[in-house]
Amino acid sequence: MAGKVLVIGSSGQIGTELVEALRALKGNENVIASDIREPQIEQTGPFEILDILNKVQLLEIVEKYNIKEIYLLAALLSATAEKNPAFGWDLNMNSLFNVLDLAKEKIIDKIFWPSSIAVFGPTTPQQNTPQYTIMEPTTVYGISKQAGERWCEYYFNKYDVDVRSIRYPGLIGYKSLPGGGTTDYAVDIFHKALKKESLECFLSEDTTLPMMYMSDAIKATIGIMEANGPSIKIRSSYNIAGVSFSPKEITHEIQKSIPDFNITYKPDYRQEIADSWPQSIDDNHAKLDWNWSPDYDLTKLSNTMLENLKLALPQEK
Ligand code: NAD
Ligand code: AKB
């Protein structure tokens, strides 16, 4: 491989699984993992401690490994960013500029940067939310993702920067823990069910949100990055959809395998965030432009989580 790949924020929920998938595709030595903290799992390839806000350190790593492609995952998520809006804005925006500028200067060739369903707000149509619609986000996280989308498109149009993006829904996987989002209950619920504990859910029972099983998210991420350039017609960010469910619905699904599992509800500040987001997503542009399609419905997601998490947590069998 002529140029290598750098994943920034690799110790997080998505990075842990994305690095594994990219290494399987491109070879262990060709994928450099990096994060401000140590990885959650043992590494099969290079790992570097990197603070993405440190431009000098970033350039050193890019030059050291001859990096040509960057997946930028470092960010503060919705719930954490609400607790520290100034830092959320600083990290989410300046990390993006530091990477976009490397491509503008033609030091790297290609960027993946994730947006989120958080770009939408309370005035957005909540059912089957279209690709192009009203976007008035009310969280600092959503505002940073919306601004990020505009900057990605701007760098593509003005500086010919090959940046690609998708709006992830809430992601659910068993290999890593989520990092401070409004959708995190949907991972925690599986851990609690297998530990035979009940879950006190921070969202109300009928709060429906768009969600996705992690391997579908990894498939979409690699899919958009491997697609031919001309097929990527949207350079802000693509809607993608997996499944939509409420806490009550996922509880019923889990109870098919663990009938004793119990959930209680105590909505907190995250309820207002969830209420401002879509309930389901129209992802036709992604389907048409680069052949996106998800593999997991609610039953498959739930069964896969329970089976694999049970193996990953042997003491809770
Ligand atoms: P996460 O919080 O689990 O991981 C983020 C990682 O970034 C962490 O390991 C953290 O240590 C690292 N990081 C923080 N500050 C850093 C810095 N200064 N330099 C280097 N690394 C730093 O987040 P995630 O869920 O893996 O999300 C990754 C990206 O995907 C984010 O942009 C997020 O907004 C987006 N996204 C995630 C979801 C989801 O459900 N997980 C949904 C929509 C969008
Ligand atoms: C969050 O809840 O903040 C994330 C997201 C949907 O962006 N999971």
Side-chain angles (χ1 to χ4, degrees), residues 8-11 34-38 47-53 57 74 87 91:
I8 301 169
S10 64
S11 304
S34 72
D35 202 291
I36 201 167
R37 62 178 169 135
E38 293 294 334
F47 174 84
E48 296 274 352
I49 290 287
L50 166 65
D51 178 355
I52 182 56
L53 296 179
Q57 206 187 7
F87 181 64
L91 176 63

PDB file of all heavy atoms in Angstrom, residues 8-11 34-38 47-53 57 74 87 91:
ATOM      1  N   ILE A   8      -8.281   8.367  14.075  1.00  0.00           N
ATOM      2  CA  ILE A   8      -8.106   9.264  15.232  1.00  0.00           C
ATOM      3  C   ILE A   8      -9.336   9.136  16.126  1.00  0.00           C
ATOM      4  O   ILE A   8     -10.465   9.337  15.668  1.00  0.00           O
ATOM      5  CB  ILE A   8      -7.923  10.727  14.759  1.00  0.00           C
ATOM      6  CG1 ILE A   8      -6.696  10.833  13.852  1.00  0.00           C
ATOM      7  CG2 ILE A   8      -7.800  11.669  15.961  1.00  0.00           C
ATOM      8  CD1 ILE A   8      -6.568  12.164  13.132  1.00  0.00           C
ATOM      9  N   GLY A   9      -9.106   8.797  17.403  1.00  0.00           N
ATOM     10  CA  GLY A   9     -10.229   8.494  18.296  1.00  0.00           C
ATOM     11  C   GLY A   9     -10.508   6.999  18.261  1.00  0.00           C
ATOM     12  O   GLY A   9     -11.653   6.554  18.424  1.00  0.00           O
ATOM     13  N   SER A  10      -9.430   6.208  18.070  1.00  0.00           N
ATOM     14  CA  SER A  10      -9.571   4.761  17.833  1.00  0.00           C
ATOM     15  C   SER A  10      -9.927   3.965  19.087  1.00  0.00           C
ATOM     16  O   SER A  10     -10.292   2.801  18.974  1.00  0.00           O
ATOM     17  CB  SER A  10      -8.265   4.206  17.252  1.00  0.00           C
ATOM     18  OG  SER A  10      -7.228   4.348  18.216  1.00  0.00           O
ATOM     19  N   SER A  11      -9.804   4.570  20.277  1.00  0.00           N
ATOM     20  CA  SER A  11     -10.105   3.810  21.504  1.00  0.00           C
ATOM     21  C   SER A  11     -11.583   3.902  21.889  1.00  0.00           C
ATOM     22  O   SER A  11     -11.985   3.361  22.918  1.00  0.00           O
ATOM     23  CB  SER A  11      -9.250   4.328  22.670  1.00  0.00           C
ATOM     24  OG  SER A  11      -7.893   4.274  22.343  1.00  0.00           O
ATOM     25  N   SER A  34      -4.968   5.689  16.754  1.00  0.00           N
ATOM     26  CA  SER A  34      -4.471   6.773  17.618  1.00  0.00           C
ATOM     27  C   SER A  34      -5.602   7.318  18.467  1.00  0.00           C
ATOM     28  O   SER A  34      -6.764   7.355  18.040  1.00  0.00           O
ATOM     29  CB  SER A  34      -3.854   7.884  16.779  1.00  0.00           C
ATOM     30  OG  SER A  34      -4.862   8.603  16.110  1.00  0.00           O
ATOM     31  N   ASP A  35      -5.235   7.745  19.667  1.00  0.00           N
ATOM     32  CA  ASP A  35      -6.238   8.298  20.583  1.00  0.00           C
ATOM     33  C   ASP A  35      -5.484   9.053  21.677  1.00  0.00           C
ATOM     34  O   ASP A  35      -4.283   8.858  21.874  1.00  0.00           O
ATOM     35  CB  ASP A  35      -7.076   7.165  21.206  1.00  0.00           C
ATOM     36  CG  ASP A  35      -8.425   7.637  21.730  1.00  0.00           C
ATOM     37  OD1 ASP A  35      -8.465   8.380  22.746  1.00  0.00           O
ATOM     38  OD2 ASP A  35      -9.454   7.279  21.134  1.00  0.00           O
ATOM     39  N   ILE A  36      -6.223   9.887  22.397  1.00  0.00           N
ATOM     40  CA  ILE A  36      -5.632  10.602  23.531  1.00  0.00           C
ATOM     41  C   ILE A  36      -5.525   9.666  24.737  1.00  0.00           C
ATOM     42  O   ILE A  36      -4.840   9.963  25.703  1.00  0.00           O
ATOM     43  CB  ILE A  36      -6.478  11.859  23.836  1.00  0.00           C
ATOM     44  CG1 ILE A  36      -5.680  12.894  24.613  1.00  0.00           C
ATOM     45  CG2 ILE A  36      -7.781  11.495  24.529  1.00  0.00           C
ATOM     46  CD1 ILE A  36      -6.342  14.260  24.661  1.00  0.00           C
ATOM     47  N   ARG A  37      -6.228   8.521  24.681  1.00  0.00           N
ATOM     48  CA  ARG A  37      -6.154   7.531  25.767  1.00  0.00           C
ATOM     49  C   ARG A  37      -5.797   6.157  25.189  1.00  0.00           C
ATOM     50  O   ARG A  37      -5.921   5.921  23.989  1.00  0.00           O
ATOM     51  CB  ARG A  37      -7.469   7.454  26.552  1.00  0.00           C
ATOM     52  CG  ARG A  37      -8.634   7.011  25.708  1.00  0.00           C
ATOM     53  CD  ARG A  37      -9.925   6.878  26.484  1.00  0.00           C
ATOM     54  NE  ARG A  37     -11.051   6.710  25.582  1.00  0.00           N
ATOM     55  CZ  ARG A  37     -12.031   5.822  25.733  1.00  0.00           C
ATOM     56  NH1 ARG A  37     -12.045   5.029  26.763  1.00  0.00           N
ATOM     57  NH2 ARG A  37     -13.013   5.748  24.856  1.00  0.00           N
ATOM     58  N   GLU A  38      -5.385   5.261  26.101  1.00  0.00           N
ATOM     59  CA  GLU A  38      -4.967   3.922  25.679  1.00  0.00           C
ATOM     60  C   GLU A  38      -6.161   3.157  25.072  1.00  0.00           C
ATOM     61  O   GLU A  38      -7.311   3.411  25.422  1.00  0.00           O
ATOM     62  CB  GLU A  38      -4.429   3.138  26.886  1.00  0.00           C
ATOM     63  CG  GLU A  38      -3.116   3.688  27.461  1.00  0.00           C
ATOM     64  CD  GLU A  38      -1.943   3.555  26.491  1.00  0.00           C
ATOM     65  OE1 GLU A  38      -1.956   2.654  25.632  1.00  0.00           O
ATOM     66  OE2 GLU A  38      -1.009   4.380  26.597  1.00  0.00           O
ATOM     67  N   PHE A  47      -0.068   1.699  17.252  1.00  0.00           N
ATOM     68  CA  PHE A  47      -0.936   2.616  18.007  1.00  0.00           C
ATOM     69  C   PHE A  47      -0.091   3.784  18.488  1.00  0.00           C
ATOM     70  O   PHE A  47       1.021   3.606  18.954  1.00  0.00           O
ATOM     71  CB  PHE A  47      -1.568   1.910  19.218  1.00  0.00           C
ATOM     72  CG  PHE A  47      -2.353   2.859  20.095  1.00  0.00           C
ATOM     73  CD1 PHE A  47      -3.662   3.180  19.789  1.00  0.00           C
ATOM     74  CD2 PHE A  47      -1.759   3.486  21.196  1.00  0.00           C
ATOM     75  CE1 PHE A  47      -4.378   4.084  20.571  1.00  0.00           C
ATOM     76  CE2 PHE A  47      -2.465   4.388  21.983  1.00  0.00           C
ATOM     77  CZ  PHE A  47      -3.776   4.686  21.664  1.00  0.00           C
ATOM     78  N   GLU A  48      -0.640   5.010  18.364  1.00  0.00           N
ATOM     79  CA  GLU A  48       0.055   6.214  18.822  1.00  0.00           C
ATOM     80  C   GLU A  48      -0.872   7.014  19.727  1.00  0.00           C
ATOM     81  O   GLU A  48      -2.065   7.162  19.427  1.00  0.00           O
ATOM     82  CB  GLU A  48       0.426   7.114  17.623  1.00  0.00           C
ATOM     83  CG  GLU A  48       1.412   6.501  16.649  1.00  0.00           C
ATOM     84  CD  GLU A  48       2.872   6.722  17.064  1.00  0.00           C
ATOM     85  OE1 GLU A  48       3.119   7.482  18.024  1.00  0.00           O
ATOM     86  OE2 GLU A  48       3.750   6.114  16.421  1.00  0.00           O
ATOM     87  N   ILE A  49      -0.321   7.552  20.815  1.00  0.00           N
ATOM     88  CA  ILE A  49      -1.072   8.534  21.599  1.00  0.00           C
ATOM     89  C   ILE A  49      -1.045   9.850  20.822  1.00  0.00           C
ATOM     90  O   ILE A  49       0.021  10.328  20.423  1.00  0.00           O
ATOM     91  CB  ILE A  49      -0.446   8.720  23.003  1.00  0.00           C
ATOM     92  CG1 ILE A  49      -0.665   7.473  23.857  1.00  0.00           C
ATOM     93  CG2 ILE A  49      -0.988   9.964  23.698  1.00  0.00           C
ATOM     94  CD1 ILE A  49      -2.103   7.261  24.363  1.00  0.00           C
ATOM     95  N   LEU A  50      -2.225  10.400  20.549  1.00  0.00           N
ATOM     96  CA  LEU A  50      -2.319  11.654  19.777  1.00  0.00           C
ATOM     97  C   LEU A  50      -3.454  12.510  20.324  1.00  0.00           C
ATOM     98  O   LEU A  50      -4.582  12.031  20.470  1.00  0.00           O
ATOM     99  CB  LEU A  50      -2.601  11.327  18.292  1.00  0.00           C
ATOM    100  CG  LEU A  50      -3.052  12.506  17.410  1.00  0.00           C
ATOM    101  CD1 LEU A  50      -1.950  13.559  17.264  1.00  0.00           C
ATOM    102  CD2 LEU A  50      -3.485  12.027  16.026  1.00  0.00           C
ATOM    103  N   ASP A  51      -3.138  13.769  20.607  1.00  0.00           N
ATOM    104  CA  ASP A  51      -4.182  14.758  20.900  1.00  0.00           C
ATOM    105  C   ASP A  51      -4.460  15.481  19.596  1.00  0.00           C
ATOM    106  O   ASP A  51      -3.608  16.212  19.091  1.00  0.00           O
ATOM    107  CB  ASP A  51      -3.699  15.739  21.983  1.00  0.00           C
ATOM    108  CG  ASP A  51      -4.747  16.816  22.273  1.00  0.00           C
ATOM    109  OD1 ASP A  51      -5.790  16.840  21.573  1.00  0.00           O
ATOM    110  OD2 ASP A  51      -4.513  17.629  23.174  1.00  0.00           O
ATOM    111  N   ILE A  52      -5.655  15.286  19.044  1.00  0.00           N
ATOM    112  CA  ILE A  52      -5.963  15.835  17.717  1.00  0.00           C
ATOM    113  C   ILE A  52      -5.905  17.368  17.690  1.00  0.00           C
ATOM    114  O   ILE A  52      -5.777  17.979  16.630  1.00  0.00           O
ATOM    115  CB  ILE A  52      -7.335  15.305  17.207  1.00  0.00           C
ATOM    116  CG1 ILE A  52      -7.660  15.825  15.811  1.00  0.00           C
ATOM    117  CG2 ILE A  52      -8.452  15.645  18.165  1.00  0.00           C
ATOM    118  CD1 ILE A  52      -6.645  15.529  14.769  1.00  0.00           C
ATOM    119  N   LEU A  53      -5.991  17.987  18.862  1.00  0.00           N
ATOM    120  CA  LEU A  53      -5.906  19.461  18.873  1.00  0.00           C
ATOM    121  C   LEU A  53      -4.454  19.934  18.756  1.00  0.00           C
ATOM    122  O   LEU A  53      -4.205  21.138  18.597  1.00  0.00           O
ATOM    123  CB  LEU A  53      -6.560  20.012  20.146  1.00  0.00           C
ATOM    124  CG  LEU A  53      -8.066  19.715  20.235  1.00  0.00           C
ATOM    125  CD1 LEU A  53      -8.660  20.269  21.524  1.00  0.00           C
ATOM    126  CD2 LEU A  53      -8.819  20.279  19.026  1.00  0.00           C
ATOM    127  N   GLN A  57       1.907  17.532  16.557  1.00  0.00           N
ATOM    128  CA  GLN A  57       1.923  16.090  16.805  1.00  0.00           C
ATOM    129  C   GLN A  57       1.202  15.337  15.673  1.00  0.00           C
ATOM    130  O   GLN A  57       1.658  14.284  15.220  1.00  0.00           O
ATOM    131  CB  GLN A  57       1.203  15.846  18.138  1.00  0.00           C
ATOM    132  CG  GLN A  57       1.605  14.610  18.869  1.00  0.00           C
ATOM    133  CD  GLN A  57       0.705  14.368  20.089  1.00  0.00           C
ATOM    134  OE1 GLN A  57      -0.301  15.060  20.308  1.00  0.00           O
ATOM    135  NE2 GLN A  57       1.057  13.379  20.877  1.00  0.00           N
ATOM    136  N   ALA A  74     -12.573  11.351  16.833  1.00  0.00           N
ATOM    137  CA  ALA A  74     -12.502  12.057  18.126  1.00  0.00           C
ATOM    138  C   ALA A  74     -13.594  13.132  18.176  1.00  0.00           C
ATOM    139  O   ALA A  74     -13.741  13.912  17.241  1.00  0.00           O
ATOM    140  CB  ALA A  74     -11.130  12.691  18.298  1.00  0.00           C
ATOM    141  N   PHE A  87     -15.943  23.436  25.425  1.00  0.00           N
ATOM    142  CA  PHE A  87     -14.946  22.434  25.023  1.00  0.00           C
ATOM    143  C   PHE A  87     -15.493  21.530  23.918  1.00  0.00           C
ATOM    144  O   PHE A  87     -14.755  21.132  23.009  1.00  0.00           O
ATOM    145  CB  PHE A  87     -14.469  21.611  26.227  1.00  0.00           C
ATOM    146  CG  PHE A  87     -13.425  20.613  25.812  1.00  0.00           C
ATOM    147  CD1 PHE A  87     -12.200  21.037  25.305  1.00  0.00           C
ATOM    148  CD2 PHE A  87     -13.681  19.252  25.863  1.00  0.00           C
ATOM    149  CE1 PHE A  87     -11.243  20.124  24.872  1.00  0.00           C
ATOM    150  CE2 PHE A  87     -12.723  18.331  25.427  1.00  0.00           C
ATOM    151  CZ  PHE A  87     -11.514  18.767  24.942  1.00  0.00           C
ATOM    152  N   LEU A  91     -13.350  21.046  20.567  1.00  0.00           N
ATOM    153  CA  LEU A  91     -12.857  19.739  20.105  1.00  0.00           C
ATOM    154  C   LEU A  91     -13.507  19.345  18.776  1.00  0.00           C
ATOM    155  O   LEU A  91     -12.814  18.954  17.826  1.00  0.00           O
ATOM    156  CB  LEU A  91     -13.121  18.657  21.170  1.00  0.00           C
ATOM    157  CG  LEU A  91     -12.728  17.231  20.760  1.00  0.00           C
ATOM    158  CD1 LEU A  91     -11.221  17.117  20.505  1.00  0.00           C
ATOM    159  CD2 LEU A  91     -13.149  16.215  21.817  1.00  0.00           C
TER     160      LEU A  91
END
